[in-house]
């Protein structure tokens, strides 16, 4: 037997064994126990119902970890606990954006988008896997938007072909947007045609409910088009035509999540967010690399916002921060705060004890403003039960025990929260009232959805834990609630979305900030005077090494300026 034929036969044997498992008794946990390396097997032997779960879960893992950490620090939602770790995250705080900064995001997401493309290109003359191709088109568009928004122009039309094209050319961001929107529309057409077999447990997002995939595709399409709110000329005409086509469409009515059978059986089977930020399957806290339950705390910026502009100084009565950015929060305690982060009890100089979210100013070390020294050592807030478990209220303590580990490990991963969908619809109705309606209703429903996600239970001692009471208070406050000019309302949408997406999908708030300038987000205390936030990331070292003839040459300064390298919708 020739060597080439032997390899083919070997691959067939491997896939036949895998297929026997897939078409026999499938367990969700099987999707987390993949021992066959698809890079070693002919792609057409890996059926889409086998490939799709791994493509989704692999992509979500990098989103839940590296992308979440990057955006949480850039949006000043989280900070490093300088009481225990000196001055962590200097590159993030400065910020020092290089070809090595967060390069894992590019390297891993591109690899996983390639897996979606393999499903799309799968040789399926009978159309059996039509729905898997549609689902992969949606997921490809979902992650391509993140890559385009982070890096501007990227390889697209020549990309995702593995060995067939290892030197892909770069496409313009606006062309990628149009192509991705077309693929979302193609996915909807495939689903509506009724072609193909119905997915079941292999669909780790919706469990084979294809109408939910249509609503998800419409919502991602809306996100694309709203990102283009500032474009002009032909692009604006294109945007408006596509927005008109979404009038009356269905959108995601609940959180869009992924769960292939996450559990505490092993580290590899845990929800990757919990494994990275909270606890390992053994019950130990994660400590590898930038991981670490005690490394991260809430930032002073987020703490002030959640506390209603209450600042606790050691042995002094609670006071207010005088900076303009915090005045809209005056006296409005956010009812989500105790579920998002743990509360710390402090006693002032007249013996009054209060519980607040206690954070650290980004870049500050003990003894500096925002990280004042205390004796004993200052306590800071860490991730709360709502951030860890969502609206699961069966666990009442962050203390590590079997029930806590199990609940954290098995939690769904969030691709798109209902809160974000409602805020997208609120912005759409405010900007484009000819096509969308009820802007205020969607805005308020976004807040309610966020309260529900974090599992806030109304209690009489804190009226703000009732979302209706909180909403009634903020709606007399421009830039925080639904009042004032349209620009005030845009700032309110972005502010409430920033709070709602903290620890969930904070990268979307980073893109919103780049596009709108809201919510106003201070730089760290160690940023140079006049420093601004990056508008994109640099292409990674791997791209300059492997695709040097095509990757654009740019400098670190280009990251912070509006120029040809900036994502097209932010120029």
């Amino acid at each position: 037997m020739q060597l080439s034929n032997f390899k083919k036969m070997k691959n067939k044997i491997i896939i036949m064994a895998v297929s026997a498992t897939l078409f026999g008794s499938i367990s969700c946990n099987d999707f987390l126990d993949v021992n066959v390396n698809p890079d070693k097997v002919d792609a057409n032997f890996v059926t889409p119902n086998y490939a799709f779960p791994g493509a989704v879960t692999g992509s979500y893992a990098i989103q839940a970890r590296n992308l979440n950490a990057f955006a949480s620090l850039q949006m000043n939602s989280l900070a490093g606990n300088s009481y225990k770790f000196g001055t962590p995250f200097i590159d993030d705080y400065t910020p020092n954006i290089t070809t090595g900064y967060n390069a894992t995001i590019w390297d891993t997401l591109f690899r996983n988008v390639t897996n979606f493309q393999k499903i799309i290109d799968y040789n399926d003359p009978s159309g059996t896997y039509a729905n898997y191709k549609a689902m992969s088109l949606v997921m490809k568009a979902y992650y391509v938007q993140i890559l385009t928004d982070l890096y501007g122009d990227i390889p697209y039309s020549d990309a995702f072909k593995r060995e067939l094209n290892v030197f892909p050319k770069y496409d313009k961001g606006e062309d990628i947007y149009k192509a991705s929107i077309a693929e979302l529309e193609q996915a909807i057409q495939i689903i509506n045609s009724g072609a193909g077999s119905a997915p079941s447990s292999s669909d780790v997002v919706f469990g084979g409910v294809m109408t939910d995939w249509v609503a998800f595709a419409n919502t991602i399409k809306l996100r694309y088009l709203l990102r283009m709110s500032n474009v002009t000329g032909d692009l604006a005409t294109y945007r408006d035509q596509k927005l008109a086509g979404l009038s009356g469409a269905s959108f995601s009515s609940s959180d869009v999540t992924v769960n292939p059978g996450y559990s505490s059986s092993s580290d590899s089977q845990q929800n990757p967010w919990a494994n990275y930020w909270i606890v390992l399957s053994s019950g130990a806290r994660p400590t590898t690399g930038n991981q670490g339950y005690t490394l991260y705390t809430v930032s002073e910026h987020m703490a002030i916002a959640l506390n209603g502009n209450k600042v606790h100084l050691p042995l002094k009565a609670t006071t207010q921060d005088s900076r303009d950015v915090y005045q809209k929060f005056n006296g409005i305690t956010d009812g989500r705060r105790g579920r998002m982060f743990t509360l710390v009890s402090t006693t002032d100089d007249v013996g009054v004890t209060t519980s607040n979210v206690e954070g650290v100013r980004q870049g500050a070390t003990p003894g500096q403003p925002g990280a004042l020294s205390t004796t004993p050592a200052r306590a800071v807030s860490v991730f709360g039960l709502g951030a860890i478990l969502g609206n699961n209220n069966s666990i009442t303590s962050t203390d590590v025990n079997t029930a806590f580990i199990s609940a954290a490990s098995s939690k769904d991963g969030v691709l798109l929260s209902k809160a974000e969908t409602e805020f997208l619809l609120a912005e759409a109705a405010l900007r484009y009232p000819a096509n969308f309606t009820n802007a205020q209703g969607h805005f308020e429903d976004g807040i309610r959805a966020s309260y529900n996600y974090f599992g806030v239970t109304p209690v009489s001692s804190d009226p703000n834990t009732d979302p209706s009471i909180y909403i009634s208070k903020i709606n007399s406050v421009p830039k925080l609630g639904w009042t004032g000019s349209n620009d005030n309302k845009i700032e309110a949408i972005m502010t409430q979305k920033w709070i709602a997406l903290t620890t969930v999908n904070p990268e979307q708030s980073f893109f919103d900030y780049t596009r709108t300038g809201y919510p106003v987000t201070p730089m760290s205390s160690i940023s140079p005077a006049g420093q601004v936030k990056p508008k994109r990331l640099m292409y990674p070292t791997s791209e300059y090494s492997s695709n040097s003839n095509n990757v654009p040459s740019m400098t670190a300064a280009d990251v912070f300026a509006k120029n040809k390298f900036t994502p097209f919708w932010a120029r």
Side-chain angles (χ1 to χ4, degrees):
M1 180 182 293
Q2 292 182 355
L3 182 60
S4 60
N5 290 334
F6 173 78
K7 288 182 177 178
K8 290 180 180 179
M9 180 61 70
K10 181 181 178 182
N11 288 339
K12 287 182 179 180
I13 292 171
I14 293 172
I15 297 306
M16 286 172 63
V18 173
S19 298
T21 302
L22 286 168
F23 291 107
S25 175
I26 270 188
S27 161
C28 285
N29 282 334
D30 291 333
F31 300 137
L32 296 169
D33 289 323
V34 177
N35 295 315
V36 179
N37 182 352
D39 291 330
K40 302 297 185 183
V41 181
D42 189 317
N44 276 330
F45 294 145
V46 181
T47 54
N49 58 323
Y50 172 63
F52 183 76
V56 176
T57 54
S59 301
Y60 173 68
I62 198 69
Q63 182 179 10
R65 294 169 171 171
N66 303 69
L67 188 59
N68 195 307
F70 157 75
S72 295
L73 292 170
Q74 289 301 323
M75 287 308 296
N76 209 332
S77 304
L78 300 182
N81 185 352
S82 58
Y83 295 102
K84 291 179 180 262
F85 295 93
T87 309
F89 308 132
I90 291 177
D91 283 345
D92 301 273
Y93 289 165
T94 315
N96 179 31
I97 311 298
T98 66
T99 57
Y101 178 79
N102 273 300
T104 302
I105 295 174
W106 171 288
D107 294 337
T108 307
L109 281 188
F110 257 96
R111 183 166 61 248
N112 279 282
V113 172
T114 298
N115 293 332
F116 292 122
Q117 188 64 51
K118 282 295 183 183
I119 297 171
I120 296 166
D121 295 337
Y122 182 77
N123 185 21
D124 181 31
S126 66
T128 301
Y129 297 106
N131 282 319
Y132 288 94
K133 290 174 179 283
M135 296 186 303
S136 295
L137 285 165
V138 176
M139 293 308 305
K140 176 188 174 185
Y142 177 92
Y143 283 109
V144 162
Q145 184 180 35
I146 289 175
L147 285 166
T148 308
D149 292 348
L150 273 178
Y151 295 97
D153 298 348
I154 63 171
Y156 183 81
S157 58
D158 277 356
F160 318 123
K161 298 179 181 179
R162 296 193 180 184
E163 70 280 358
L164 298 180
N165 190 343
V166 295
F167 307 113
K169 70 180 179 68
Y170 275 63
D171 293 278
K172 293 182 178 180
E174 49 266 52
D175 294 335
I176 296 169
Y177 258 52
K178 288 180 178 180
S180 294
I181 289 171
E183 291 199 322
L184 289 168
E185 293 171 344
Q186 180 187 356
I188 293 172
Q189 289 175 351
I190 293 172
I191 294 169
N192 288 340
S193 74
S197 60
S200 55
S201 59
S202 294
D203 175 5
V204 294
V205 180
F206 292 116
V209 180
M210 300 312 296
T211 53
D212 286 347
W213 277 103
V214 171
F216 183 37
N218 285 332
T219 310
I220 299 307
K221 183 177 176 181
L222 180 62
R223 184 198 273 174
Y224 266 93
L225 295 170
L226 288 178
R227 197 82 84 227
M228 298 170 66
S229 63
N230 294 328
V231 301
T232 58
D234 291 343
L235 278 176
T237 300
Y238 168 85
R239 175 202 64 209
D240 293 346
Q241 289 173 343
K242 293 299 182 181
L243 283 168
L246 282 176
S247 180
S250 63
F251 298 96
S252 296
S253 58
S254 59
D255 295 333
V256 177
T257 60
V258 53
N259 197 327
Y262 293 133
S263 76
S264 57
S265 298
S266 67
D267 286 357
S268 63
Q269 291 187 333
Q270 287 182 280
N271 175 311
W273 187 92
N275 170 266
Y276 185 89
W277 298 91
I278 306 301
V279 67
L280 304 181
S281 60
S282 64
R285 296 294 191 185
T287 57
T288 305
N290 277 350
Q291 299 165 262
Y293 181 72
T294 57
L295 171 60
Y296 290 89
T297 182
V298 62
S299 69
E300 177 200 51
H301 174 59
M302 175 61 79
I304 292 174
L306 295 177
N307 290 333
N309 195 11
K310 293 178 182 176
V311 180
H312 171 256
L313 302 177
L315 303 179
K316 300 291 183 182
T318 299
T319 185
Q320 290 185 339
D321 193 293
S322 62
R323 287 173 285 180
D324 288 344
V325 63
Y326 300 116
Q327 302 317 300
K328 66 185 179 185
F329 300 105
N330 285 344
I332 302 179
T333 305
D334 195 306
R336 291 165 284 189
R337 64 178 188 153
R339 291 288 297 180
M340 295 174 68
F341 300 99
T342 57
L343 299 179
V344 177
S345 295
T346 55
T347 303
D348 64 24
D349 53 350
V350 294
V352 176
T353 300
T354 57
S355 294
N356 291 300
V357 176
E358 294 288 344
V360 175
R361 184 174 301 181
Q362 287 189 336
T365 55
Q368 297 177 337
L372 300 179
S373 297
T374 61
T375 304
R378 185 179 176 92
V380 294
S381 299
V382 292
F383 295 102
L385 286 169
I388 300 169
L389 305 178
N391 60 10
N392 178 355
N393 285 290
S394 64
I395 308 296
T396 58
S397 171
T398 56
D399 292 342
V400 175
N401 55 38
T402 301
F404 175 83
I405 299 169
S406 176
S409 300
S410 60
K411 179 183 178 293
D412 294 343
V414 180
L415 297 174
L416 174 80
S417 67
K418 176 174 171 53
E420 185 188 349
T421 298
E422 294 296 340
F423 290 129
L424 288 171
L425 290 168
E427 182 182 356
L430 184 65
R431 292 187 187 273
Y432 309 103
N435 300 316
F436 303 90
T437 61
N438 195 20
Q440 181 174 355
H442 286 300
F443 172 76
E444 294 177 356
D445 284 347
I447 295 171
R448 291 189 180 94
S450 176
Y451 266 66
N452 179 68
Y453 174 83
F454 287 114
V456 179
T457 303
V459 294
S460 57
S461 59
D462 184 359
N464 291 296
T465 54
D466 183 334
S468 296
I469 293 176
Y470 173 79
I471 289 169
S472 69
K473 287 184 177 181
I474 66 170
N475 279 350
S476 62
V477 183
K479 306 178 183 180
L480 186 62
W482 202 258
T483 189
S485 67
N486 279 4
D487 191 60
N488 291 154
K489 292 173 183 176
I490 290 293
E491 181 172 354
I493 292 171
M494 299 309 161
T495 300
Q496 292 294 342
K497 189 193 288 191
W498 167 66
I499 295 170
L501 297 189
T502 292
T503 72
V504 184
N505 298 127
E507 74 279 356
Q508 296 304 317
S509 285
F510 173 75
F511 301 138
D512 284 335
Y513 174 84
T514 304
R515 172 173 61 103
T516 68
Y518 299 129
V520 177
T521 307
M523 299 298 295
S524 78
S525 62
I526 61 173
S527 295
Q531 179 65 51
V532 298
K533 294 185 182 296
K535 294 175 172 57
R536 55 160 296 155
L537 297 184
M538 291 192 73
Y539 299 113
T541 302
S542 60
E543 192 68 358
Y544 284 105
S545 299
S546 63
N547 196 16
S548 58
N549 289 334
N550 291 310
V551 59
S553 178
M554 61 182 301
T555 67
D558 288 324
V559 169
F560 302 97
K562 285 193 175 184
N563 53 33
K564 64 180 181 180
F565 299 108
T566 308
F568 76 97
W569 44 261
R571 292 176 194 161

